Amino acid sequence: MLAAYESARARAWDPSRQFKALFKAEVSPKVGPIGHGYLSVWWDGTNGTLAWRASAPLGGAGRGGFLRKGKRGGVEADGGAPGPHQSLFPGRLTTDDILACLLGVHESALSSSSPFEETPRGWRVHIDDSKRSVLVDREGEPIEFSFPTGETVKLQPGEGVPRRIEANGPDGRAVLTLESYSSWSKGEEVPPL
């Protein structure tokens, strides 16, 4: 299971990986209107940046921006700094956590110091030494993340990115359903906002 998970992690975070994907999105915050629309993403593994565009504002994050690996504090709008609580999902997930949900695997290795908890659906293991955990199915695919701020994100594994991402937490719910996935050629520009 560990070897399969590590293989999936290496593929997802490979620096040479570039792709684009389109998700149908529904975001239901605890307070405020339900957002329906489409979320387009472009991942560039060479610099760990995900550009995104939404057909309608999702989760209070506006209509487009960037997520950069290793950056804390939320979604970066085009040309601006991250907002304190803006997110593509309801809740207070870090940028790295959101990227993990969209890529299907957290960049951090599984913690070797924590025990595995066997469940009917697979094994729950802590990610690094934080309070983040992942539920890994019998094939070694991540199917659920749990985060310290009370959010859980269920994944339906797919080829390249998850086919379905369902995030639930104290601030609401978001569901992303994959519509299309393909490689992203270096010459293709991300559409402007």
Side-chain angles (χ1 to χ4, degrees):
M1 185 270 301
L2 279 176
Y5 179 88
E6 286 302 315
S7 176
R9 188 171 74 88
R11 281 191 314 274
W13 293 90
D14 182 342
S16 66
R17 184 174 184 218
Q18 290 191 282
F19 71 83
K20 58 184 176 179
L22 175 68
F23 293 92
K24 186 165 83 174
E26 179 181 303
V27 178
S28 309
K30 291 273 185 196
V31 177
I34 295 173
H36 297 275
Y38 288 90
L39 175 68
S40 301
V41 299
W42 293 264
W43 172 250
D44 182 355
T46 57
N47 59 16
T49 300
L50 182 125
W52 63 275
R53 301 291 182 262
S55 64
L58 302 172
R63 303 258 330 232
F66 300 92
L67 296 170
R68 296 189 202 311
K69 179 174 81 168
K71 245 183 140 83
R72 302 287 178 206
V75 175
E76 242 181 273
D78 280 334
H85 302 299
Q86 293 181 329
S87 176
L88 292 174
F89 300 127
R92 297 176 187 261
L93 298 178
T94 68
T95 300
D96 287 346
D97 293 338
I98 296 169
L99 287 172
C101 295
L102 292 169
L103 296 178
V105 180
H106 212 284
E107 184 185 25
S108 298
L110 296 179
S111 174
S112 58
S113 64
S114 69
F116 290 73
E117 176 190 340
E118 190 167 1
T119 73
R121 296 174 46 214
W123 294 276
R124 182 159 302 277
V125 186
H126 286 276
I127 298 170
D128 54 45
D129 290 319
S130 69
K131 292 185 179 190
R132 290 166 177 77
S133 68
V134 61
L135 180 62
V136 180
D137 68 12
R138 306 283 180 211
E139 288 77 42
E141 294 282 344
I143 58 172
E144 183 179 287
F145 292 116
S146 293
F147 298 100
T149 51
E151 291 86 357
T152 59
V153 178
K154 294 179 182 177
L155 307 173
Q156 181 182 8
E159 193 62 38
V161 294
R163 287 190 290 258
R164 180 177 161 87
I165 302 166
E166 182 182 333
N168 291 289
D171 295 335
R173 177 175 186 260
V175 177
L176 302 179
T177 306
L178 184 65
E179 295 281 318
S180 70
Y181 170 85
S182 65
S183 62
W184 174 31
S185 61
K186 290 197 186 272
E188 183 182 350
E189 295 289 324
V190 174
L193 284 175

